[in-house]
Amino acid sequence: MIFCSDTPHLPEVAVTILSTNMAAPRVCVPGERLFSTADCEAGPGTYVHHGYIYSCLAGYMHKRKTEGKELSIVEVIRQKEDAVPRIGSIVTAKVTSVSGRMCKCAITCVERTTLREPFRGLIRKEDVRATEKDRVEMYKCFRPGDIVLARVLSLGDANCYLLSTAENELGVVLALSEAGAQMVPVSWCDMQCPKTGSKEFRKVAKVQLQQE
């Protein structure tokens, strides 16, 4: 059985009431497995495949009880269009971990919209910069806690957005030194601690200042 329908535009009051009667809504993306059909029934914004309920939308998951039915209905409510990362979107993300091949992030903003809950992001070694990709060293580009600007490439595996910093304007925009001070960019690959004067490697974003 396949049941997939876009959620109708519910009045804000209805969404508020729905949210207050349940725990904080869970953010989900298309194709994410939610529950077994033994535990819940599929509602709007979901579909059933091999005994499991999946999301067919990017949005917030809700469970609601219906009188006369034993199982709760699970549904996914689409939020504002600009509140979900899309291919080509510029996002703000916080680096959570770095390995030799990739950098994991928590996406907190899409363009200028702050998300209620973060999405998972991933920057692969080959997507850090546009040139000399084979010479990229992830530990010299990002550190846990860095704030980066990145562009969404696609929805990758395990419900994780693939991100790229392979543009001059993308990369680290805020980073703390080992001394705990906010560092200042001094080149496209270095940031300097104002307290100690020491430099640390980063893939620095060339931030464009907006004119009034």
Side-chain angles (χ1 to χ4, degrees):
M1 178 180 71
I2 297 292
F3 176 79
C4 182
S5 62
D6 201 345
T7 307
H9 294 286
L10 299 177
E12 291 186 7
V13 174
V15 175
T16 302
I17 294 174
L18 191 62
S19 300
T20 54
N21 290 332
M22 297 175 291
R26 164 181 162 188
V27 177
C28 51
V29 295
E32 182 173 349
R33 191 168 79 178
L34 304 177
F35 295 99
S36 166
T37 52
D39 300 323
C40 296
E41 289 187 17
T46 68
Y47 66 94
V48 174
H49 183 63
H50 293 317
Y52 288 94
I53 301 171
Y54 294 81
S55 171
C56 62
L57 299 175
Y60 295 97
M61 184 203 75
H62 296 274
K63 288 173 66 178
R64 57 183 172 85
K65 293 289 291 185
T66 301
E67 187 175 353
K69 290 191 176 183
E70 182 178 347
L71 298 179
S72 297
I73 296 175
V74 60
E75 60 188 16
V76 177
I77 298 176
R78 187 191 298 276
Q79 299 298 302
K80 293 181 180 179
E81 296 297 322
D82 57 359
V84 175
R86 296 178 176 277
I87 294 176
S89 296
I90 299 296
V91 299
T92 304
K94 183 176 182 179
V95 176
T96 56
S97 66
V98 181
S99 69
R101 290 290 307 164
M102 66 188 69
C103 163
K104 294 182 179 180
C105 309
I107 300 171
T108 56
C109 296
V110 179
E111 304 294 349
R112 297 187 178 185
T113 301
T114 301
L115 301 175
R116 292 174 60 184
E117 292 188 25
F119 287 99
R120 290 186 294 174
L122 187 71
I123 303 173
R124 301 174 299 184
K125 182 178 179 179
E126 57 267 32
D127 297 322
V128 172
R129 63 190 187 206
T131 60
E132 299 182 321
K133 296 183 179 183
D134 57 328
R135 299 180 62 183
V136 170
E137 296 181 57
M138 295 301 290
Y139 297 106
K140 290 186 176 182
C141 298
F142 309 104
R143 298 282 181 85
D146 288 355
I147 304 299
V148 302
L149 286 179
R151 188 179 298 278
V152 177
L153 291 179
S154 66
L155 176 60
D157 298 331
N159 304 313
C160 186
Y161 286 93
L162 294 182
L163 308 177
S164 169
T165 57
E167 299 174 37
N168 290 339
E169 295 76 20
L170 304 178
V172 178
V173 293
L174 191 152
L176 298 180
S177 67
E178 293 183 357
Q182 183 174 325
M183 293 194 292
V184 179
V186 292
S187 74
W188 65 271
C189 62
D190 290 295
M191 300 184 88
Q192 187 172 34
C193 174
K195 281 187 176 181
T196 64
S198 62
K199 293 182 180 179
E200 295 183 19
F201 290 110
R202 292 293 195 281
K203 196 291 181 184
V204 181
K206 182 181 179 182
V207 178
Q208 300 291 330
L209 298 178
Q210 293 186 347
Q211 300 294 328
E212 294 294 337

